[in-house]
Amino acid sequence: MNDSTDNTLSIRATVMQTPTTDQLEVRHDVVVEVFGGLIASITPADDFHGQVDVVLADDQVLVPGLIDLHIHAPQWPQLGTGLDMPLEEWLFAYTFPLEASFADEDFAQTVWDSMVPTLLANGTTTAVYYGSTHNPATTALAATCAEHGQRAFVGRVAMDHPEGTPEWYRDDSAADAVAASAASIDAIRALGSPLVEPIVTPRFIPACTDELLTGLGQLAHDTDTLVQTHCSESDWEHQYVIDRCGMSDTEALDSFGLLRPSTVLAHSVHLSDDDMAMIARNRAGIAHCPLSNAYFGNAVFPARRALAAGVAVGLGTDIAGGPSPSLFANAAHAINASRQLDDGVDINLAAADRGMAGSRIDAITAFWMATKGGADVLDRPIGLLEVGRRFDALAVTIQSFGDGTPPGAAATDSDERIFEKIVRLTTAADIDAVWVDGRRLAPVPQK
Ligand code: GUN
Ligand code: FE
């Protein structure tokens, strides 16, 4: 493959992608033309007469780049560790102390320089990040994404509640937190990167006073900025909001002006039908974080139910509540979790009473959530390789298992089976190239 130095290129490949929750689209041997980062045409190779810059090999497939809707950037150093406590204890024991250390800008930069390229190598072309309460570290995160060419939404975390936060990692007041959040929006916009946007980030209701939540709803409105927060994540968090606000988490966020179009609600495991209808009505969306939910959620997110209710659903790693940096791993686990929800898990119940029939999702729906679903939540023209969208894409090697077929030729595999392999098995080692906005990014993982 040739490297392209700017964001205009043509690439010959077989494309696999999911335009809808239940449709696998396979376009064999097409040429995708990209001008200024925008997909201008997709033409069968036999009908294409222009210059081709990049040709994928027979054992490679072109897929849309992955959209991770939920990452706690300063938790990168504890990825894969410390998941031995419930959420409300884990935050105080491990997470707030780690995040507090991002007052040190050198430390923060070291972490960002490790994390951003690693996530790109795992196929995450768009990342929605929580920073910390520190403006310099948060701005540096946005600058690091711009420098490495990752599409990103970066939020300065706001948290001022005297009981929901430790006194050593807390905003001094609601007014201070709103002012610092406004300054962070300005600083990120001042970077002037077309790839990186700010996002208003009240951590979650237990960590924020009503005054802060109201102020941030107003700030998002006044500055036309997206919002992210956590919603009905666990039994404890869900009940805490009912006890404090006298309504569900979803309703409370709406009352604070935070349930806006494209608001990213992390987790949202414990939603009523009314909550789902309200999220759909407001055109907010959910970041489904299946690996994290296994540790903190106390239940399985009912993805099928949310989709049937018309809610936009994407996928998130929830680094480091989820122990993998890979959205492929999360997509695979979303399938597994939905199967356990469908069947149920308690052998003391009769099979017919054990699960929630109709809950299972397959590789197509899981990949849709990791791509087009995330794009729908954010309302950005990404997540699918079609004319008019930005060219964010991955070249992925199809796995073969020494079954006598040449690597990737997979003579016995149908398109559907090849796609399933991609969703369930792809690791960074199988991702040969990453493009964001038509630019091929370095470093590319070496095999
Ligand atoms: N709720 C509030 N903060 C956090 C966090 O850092 N991780 C997760 N998973 N949930 C949260
Ligand atoms: Fe989270």
Side-chain angles (χ1 to χ4, degrees):
M1 276 184 292
N2 298 321
D3 281 346
S4 69
T5 48
D6 60 23
N7 58 356
T8 292
L9 81 155
S10 57
I11 173 167
R12 181 172 174 176
T14 288
V15 172
M16 289 192 172
Q17 58 182 357
T18 50
T20 68
T21 54
D22 55 9
Q23 182 195 358
L24 170 62
E25 178 185 273
V26 182
R27 302 190 65 175
H28 287 280
D29 200 18
V30 291
V31 176
V32 181
E33 277 189 298
V34 180
F35 288 106
L38 195 70
I39 300 172
S41 69
I42 304 178
T43 314
D46 287 347
D47 301 337
F48 185 80
H49 305 296
Q51 178 194 317
V52 176
D53 302 314
V54 181
V55 181
L56 295 199
D58 286 347
D59 66 345
Q60 292 177 313
V61 171
L62 191 69
V63 300
L66 308 180
I67 300 170
D68 189 338
L69 289 182
H70 188 56
I71 302 167
H72 295 272
Q75 296 174 26
W76 183 249
Q78 66 178 6
L79 182 67
T81 68
L83 295 167
D84 54 339
M85 295 177 182
L87 172 65
E88 62 275 26
E89 293 171 29
W90 171 85
L91 286 169
F92 281 78
Y94 302 134
T95 298
F96 291 153
L98 175 58
E99 291 192 17
S101 65
F102 283 71
D104 179 339
E105 292 170 46
D106 291 338
F107 173 64
Q109 191 60 55
T110 306
V111 173
W112 306 155
D113 286 336
S114 158
M115 177 187 68
V116 174
T118 305
L119 293 180
L120 282 166
N122 276 278
T124 299
T125 50
T126 297
V128 184
Y129 289 115
Y130 287 57
S132 62
T133 62
H134 313 100
N135 285 38
T138 302
T139 309
L141 171 58
T144 305
C145 296
E147 184 191 320
H148 286 274
Q150 187 178 49
R151 203 181 288 285
F153 294 77
V154 179
R156 184 262 185 214
V157 171
M159 42 193 283
D160 71 331
H161 198 285
E163 276 130 46
T165 64
E167 47 89 25
W168 40 265
Y169 186 51
R170 173 191 298 163
D171 286 304
D172 289 341
S173 68
D176 279 351
V178 173
S181 299
S184 180
I185 291 170
D186 290 344
I188 291 169
R189 290 196 171 141
L191 295 173
S193 167
L195 297 178
V196 180
E197 297 183 40
I199 183 165
V200 171
T201 307
R203 185 170 202 118
F204 65 159
I205 289 179
C208 301
T209 61
D210 289 8
E211 187 187 349
L212 175 55
L213 293 161
T214 306
L216 292 179
Q218 191 65 45
L219 179 68
H221 173 270
D222 292 347
T223 59
D224 194 20
T225 309
L226 298 197
V227 174
Q228 63 179 345
T229 191
H230 297 83
C231 180
S232 290
E233 176 172 359
S234 66
D235 282 320
W236 164 76
E237 199 255 350
H238 180 66
Q239 191 59 43
Y240 170 93
V241 177
I242 292 170
D243 292 345
R244 178 171 133 195
C245 303
M247 60 184 96
S248 74
D249 208 337
T250 304
E251 292 166 332
L253 291 169
D254 187 48
S255 77
F256 294 121
L258 291 163
L259 201 66
R260 294 165 47 80
S262 294
T263 290
V264 183
L265 301 170
H267 308 289
S268 305
V269 175
H270 300 264
L271 298 185
S272 69
D273 289 346
D274 286 347
D275 290 333
M276 287 193 185
M278 179 176 259
I279 292 167
R281 212 166 43 242
N282 288 27
R283 289 185 290 120
I286 292 174
H288 173 27
C289 306
L291 278 169
S292 173
N293 290 345
Y295 295 94
F296 294 153
N298 308 122
V300 173
F301 173 71
R304 270 265 167 258
R305 204 181 114 220
L307 293 170
V311 176
V313 181
L315 275 189
T317 56
D318 191 32
I319 290 164
S324 169
S326 166
L327 269 193
F328 281 112
N330 275 276
H333 190 66
I335 304 167
N336 302 341
S338 78
R339 296 293 290 258
Q340 299 202 300
L341 181 62
D342 192 291
D343 276 342
V345 295
D346 182 355
I347 54 160
N348 293 308
L349 298 174
D353 303 327
R354 204 178 288 150
M356 289 174 51
S359 296
R360 53 177 71 182
I361 63 168
D362 61 10
I364 294 173
T365 305
F367 189 77
W368 176 88
M369 291 194 291
T371 53
K372 178 67 165 46
D376 287 354
V377 171
L378 297 169
D379 194 22
R380 295 295 185 271
I382 50 178
L384 195 66
L385 303 179
E386 72 175 5
V387 172
R389 289 182 188 260
R390 312 304 298 182
F391 185 71
D392 294 2
L394 317 175
V396 176
T397 295
I398 306 162
Q399 309 245 0
S400 80
F401 300 106
D403 58 358
T405 56
T412 55
D413 277 352
S414 64
D415 288 343
E416 289 72 18
R417 283 183 160 226
I418 289 172
F419 179 74
E420 260 189 280
K421 281 185 172 181
I422 291 172
V423 174
R424 285 214 174 82
L425 301 175
T426 300
T427 68
D430 310 306
I431 299 175
D432 306 306
V434 177
W435 292 267
V436 177
D437 218 43
R439 269 198 187 82
R440 179 152 176 203
L441 304 180
V444 174
Q446 301 300 309
K447 291 212 231 184

